[in-house]
Amino acid sequence: MVVRDMKANEIKGENFGVACVGLGYWGRNILRNLYELGLVKIACDINEDVINERKKQFPNVKYTKDIDDIVSSRDIEAVVIATPASTHYELAKKFLLAGKDVFVEKPLSLTLKEGEELVKIAERENKILMVGHILQYHPAVIRLKELISNGVIGKLQYIYSNRLNIGKLRVEENILWSFAPHDISVILDLVGEEPVWLSCFGGAYVSDGIYDVTLTYFEFKNGIRGHIFVSWLHPFKEQKLVVVGSKAMAVFDDLSKEKLFLYPHKIEWKYGKIPVAQKSDYEVIPVEQEEPLKLELLHFIDCVRKRKRPKTDGYEGIRVLKFLELAEDSLRRNYTEKSIRNQKLEIKDKNNNYFVHETALIDDGVEIGKGTKIWHFTHILRGSKIGEYCVIGQNVMIGPDVIIGNRCKIQNNVSLYKGVILEDDVFCGPSCVFTNVLTPRAFVERKHEFKQTLVKRGATIGANATILCGITIGRYSLIGAGAVVTHDVPDYALYYGNPARHMGWVCKCGVVLVSNGLVKGEIKEDRKIACGNCGSIYFYDGDKFHPVDEKL
């Protein structure tokens, strides 16, 4: 049963004024409904020919080409905007600030920032702001929600939609922003949360930079997944939403007369290991035959009259904008290429057991050892070799031709340029810097002057430290945070300061045993020092420091 706030016959005759702005492709339908409800006082469009055509269809309405006629009218309480998406923000803002309640067709705006500003203005001015996500008011979608809440479909598993046509092509927004908001709105409402991951790819075939086809795949925290396929380069029109549950599948077909279908298919396991689909006849789910647009406008009017929050209010519009901007960002980053590359890496991962985050970029010719983890937005350039069980943090750049040993940890924002070699068990703190040219100039090519920097086994480079090229960092040495190292560092040495100086000696486990000439470890016979932490014993005579037994 469709729940309505007000009936059409309850609206007619009320002293209530609505303006319709934009009388073209979709605005014509909005004007028709408002006209039938007896509410439209002013209709506005910049095209004189469109106005003349609407005058014939809907007489006894004041028509204008000037927005200010609506802004200044005291008879207009609410405005319905059905203009191109690129104008939504400016018009909605203008009317809200003029003290009008606003219904704006999808999308609310073309940027999240603009959408958030409109919501703030509406709240500050105590005005109603509603977004035209019409499917939320479709009787079939409302019935579909009832099937889900009543457990008829079972646990939601996958939701996907196709919105395809060979229809009106646009140049002010791409197909993602033009077609997808309807399905995004419904899917977010059915799932009840926002996605935690998505990837989008597509193609621009008619107008350069304007995507005509996009496919967006997404996942939710609760395990539900889905995709949205939209195109205005399709040989026929299709508008379907498919919901896959553990008990049944439901199909909302907006172009079919019946609209909603239930498929109680089941998956049975033969011999305990072979899945076999058991198909069943579909069932037509009866829904009320009412025009969704009229129901949507009735809801808006009811919210205006009763001063209540619309179902698809500004915040719901913002959730859809967030989704759209994430998908748009995925398109811009060319995630298609990355996804293909990552799929190849995942195949390697099955054999070599290493992990590469989906946002990382791995060039061809890179070797990665088993157990290694490479995290967000890291780029490994060609020819680089990374050992086993390493951890490469976020936003790290390695290469080209860099060699990294086993069990190394490289923290966020570190760049390892050509010429750098890390032996096993090296730790590079956040944002530490390695150089490879002593006297760099932006306008002088000095690639032939790259100098090798060697960091030996077990050494630690502190956060924000800078290592000049051409030097060697000794085994198990410790470079303090912020240090600027300009010359070779002995094994087990403690260096810090700018420029870094030799300030003491450290144990293999990292504990400082000698600092500024003061012995901190336990004194043993024959100039030996024992580490109180791990028990390792070192020989120390003031100038020399080395473990008595390397087999610790």
Side-chain angles (χ1 to χ4, degrees):
M1 186 71 178
V2 178
V3 179
R4 294 175 298 185
D5 302 287
M6 303 181 75
K7 296 181 179 179
N9 57 11
E10 295 173 340
I11 295 293
K12 284 188 175 182
E14 285 200 6
N15 184 22
F16 184 84
V18 179
C20 182
V21 179
L23 310 178
Y25 178 72
W26 187 245
R28 171 186 56 194
N29 296 318
I30 291 176
L31 179 60
R32 171 179 56 80
N33 276 281
L34 293 175
Y35 186 82
E36 292 172 356
L37 292 170
L39 294 173
V40 60
K41 297 281 184 73
I42 303 178
C44 178
D45 200 282
I46 60 174
N47 190 315
E48 189 70 38
D49 292 337
V50 170
I51 287 179
N52 291 333
E53 183 66 25
R54 300 296 173 261
K55 283 181 178 179
K56 297 175 186 178
Q57 299 169 315
F58 312 107
N60 304 320
V61 174
K62 178 182 178 181
Y63 289 88
T64 181
K65 295 172 63 178
D66 190 351
I67 291 295
D68 289 335
D69 288 345
I70 298 173
V71 171
S72 60
S73 175
R74 294 183 178 180
D75 295 331
I76 300 301
E77 295 182 50
V79 181
V80 179
I81 300 172
T83 55
S86 57
T87 66
H88 287 180
Y89 164 72
E90 290 294 344
L91 289 176
K93 181 178 180 180
K94 191 178 188 73
F95 292 127
L96 286 171
L97 292 175
K100 317 292 185 186
D101 295 314
V102 172
F103 172 106
V104 57
E105 270 301 332
K106 59 80 193 170
L108 174 59
S109 64
L110 288 182
T111 71
L112 177 60
K113 182 179 179 181
E114 290 176 347
E116 290 174 336
E117 183 182 351
L118 291 177
V119 170
K120 289 180 181 178
I121 292 173
E123 290 191 338
R124 186 182 69 229
E125 301 294 325
N126 195 27
K127 293 300 168 186
I128 300 297
L129 176 61
M130 176 170 161
V131 187
H133 294 151
I134 191 171
L135 291 186
Q136 296 258 22
Y137 306 91
H138 198 298
V141 173
I142 295 173
R143 187 73 180 92
L144 174 60
K145 287 189 66 175
E146 292 175 358
L147 293 178
I148 294 173
S149 1
N150 293 336
V152 174
I153 294 175
K155 184 181 182 296
L156 290 185
Q157 296 175 328
Y158 200 92
I159 303 177
Y160 64 92
S161 68
N162 293 341
R163 189 167 293 271
L164 317 169
N165 201 1
I166 178 69
K168 183 179 179 181
L169 306 180
R170 293 171 172 81
V171 293
E172 68 273 7
E173 85 258 25
N174 60 37
I175 185 66
L176 180 69
W177 288 78
S178 180
F179 275 21
H182 291 304
D183 302 291
I184 295 171
S185 173
V186 170
I187 291 173
L188 293 182
D189 185 53
L190 292 179
V191 176
E193 60 181 63
E194 297 180 30
V196 294
W197 183 89
L198 68 76
S199 180
C200 180
F201 63 91
Y205 307 105
V206 177
S207 301
D208 187 33
I210 306 295
Y211 284 89
D212 312 295
V213 180
T214 65
L215 178 63
T216 308
Y217 174 80
F218 42 90
E219 299 178 5
F220 296 90
K221 185 178 181 180
N222 57 18
I224 300 172
R225 302 181 181 184
H227 75 255
I228 296 173
F229 177 36
V230 290
S231 171
W232 54 41
L233 292 181
H234 199 71
F236 53 86
K237 189 173 183 179
E238 179 178 336
Q239 295 177 4
K240 290 183 179 179
L241 176 74
V242 179
V243 177
V244 179
S246 58
K247 294 182 180 178
M249 305 176 187
V251 178
F252 164 50
D253 186 349
D254 204 15
L255 301 183
S256 171
K257 181 180 179 181
E258 285 79 13
K259 303 297 183 186
L260 188 59
F261 306 85
L262 184 68
Y263 292 79
H265 301 325
K266 295 181 180 178
I267 305 297
E268 294 184 358
W269 292 82
K270 286 193 173 182
Y271 312 111
K273 59 181 179 179
I274 302 176
V276 178
Q278 299 294 327
K279 298 182 180 180
S280 303
D281 292 336
Y282 69 84
E283 173 188 355
V284 176
I285 304 299
V287 297
E288 295 190 21
Q289 299 297 316
E290 298 185 76
E291 185 179 3
L293 178 56
K294 180 163 287 186
L295 296 175
E296 183 181 43
L297 291 171
L298 284 169
H299 179 72
F300 173 60
I301 294 165
D302 189 58
C303 291
V304 171
R305 303 307 282 153
K306 297 178 181 177
R307 310 312 298 169
K308 65 180 184 179
R309 185 179 294 275
K311 179 180 181 182
T312 54
D313 62 359
Y315 286 101
E316 203 270 343
I318 285 175
R319 284 192 291 273
V320 173
L321 289 178
K322 285 181 181 178
F323 189 109
L324 287 167
E325 285 206 351
L326 287 170
E328 184 82 15
D329 182 63
S330 180
L331 283 171
R332 290 175 182 170
R333 291 174 179 271
N334 196 12
Y335 267 37
T336 305
E337 180 183 351
K338 289 187 178 182
S339 295
I340 293 173
R341 182 177 291 111
N342 284 337
Q343 287 172 13
K344 293 178 181 177
L345 289 174
E346 286 170 6
I347 293 172
K348 288 182 180 180
D349 188 29
K350 293 176 182 177
N351 299 323
N352 298 331
N353 299 315
Y354 63 78
F355 168 82
V356 176
H357 191 270
E358 64 194 21
T359 60
L361 181 60
I362 311 298
D363 287 354
D364 294 333
V366 171
E367 296 181 17
I368 304 173
K370 67 179 180 180
T372 287
K373 295 182 179 181
I374 300 174
W375 291 102
H376 308 65
F377 308 113
T378 286
H379 186 184
I380 314 295
L381 283 72
R382 67 186 184 281
S384 297
K385 297 180 180 180
I386 301 175
E388 299 178 355
Y389 302 104
C390 294
V391 178
I392 314 297
Q394 178 175 305
N395 197 35
V396 172
M397 197 203 78
I398 299 173
D401 304 317
V402 167
I403 299 175
I404 297 175
N406 300 323
R407 299 175 300 280
C408 292
K409 290 187 178 181
I410 301 172
Q411 302 294 80
N412 298 348
N413 307 313
V414 175
S415 293
L416 302 177
Y417 301 110
K418 185 172 183 177
V420 176
I421 299 175
L422 307 184
E423 293 185 351
D424 295 346
D425 302 309
V426 170
F427 178 92
C428 295
S431 302
C432 69
V433 177
F434 290 84
T435 67
N436 59 2
V437 175
L438 286 175
T439 56
R441 293 290 193 195
F443 51 87
V444 179
E445 181 66 60
R446 286 197 164 125
K447 290 184 179 179
H448 63 284
E449 298 180 17
F450 286 172
K451 293 186 177 296
Q452 177 177 297
T453 299
L454 174 62
V455 183
K456 289 190 172 182
R457 183 186 185 108
T460 292
I461 313 295
N464 296 299
T466 300
I467 312 298
L468 268 61
C469 60
I471 67 176
T472 297
I473 307 296
R475 294 180 304 149
Y476 303 105
S477 58
L478 179 61
I479 309 301
V484 179
V485 183
T486 59
H487 55 270
D488 290 350
V489 174
D491 294 348
Y492 300 94
L494 170 66
Y495 268 61
Y496 57 84
N498 182 4
R501 293 183 297 167
H502 186 192
M503 308 300 286
W505 302 97
V506 296
C507 177
K508 180 180 179 180
C509 70
V511 171
V512 176
L513 298 181
V514 180
S515 178
N516 294 322
L518 298 177
V519 176
K520 296 185 176 182
E522 182 183 352
I523 302 295
K524 297 287 186 179
E525 69 284 355
D526 300 326
R527 292 172 294 182
K528 295 177 182 178
I529 301 176
C531 175
N533 180 58
C534 69
S536 299
I537 300 175
Y538 296 84
F539 175 86
Y540 172 65
D541 65 0
D543 295 321
K544 297 179 181 179
F545 187 92
H546 62 83
V548 173
D549 183 4
E550 288 286 355
K551 299 179 181 180
L552 302 179

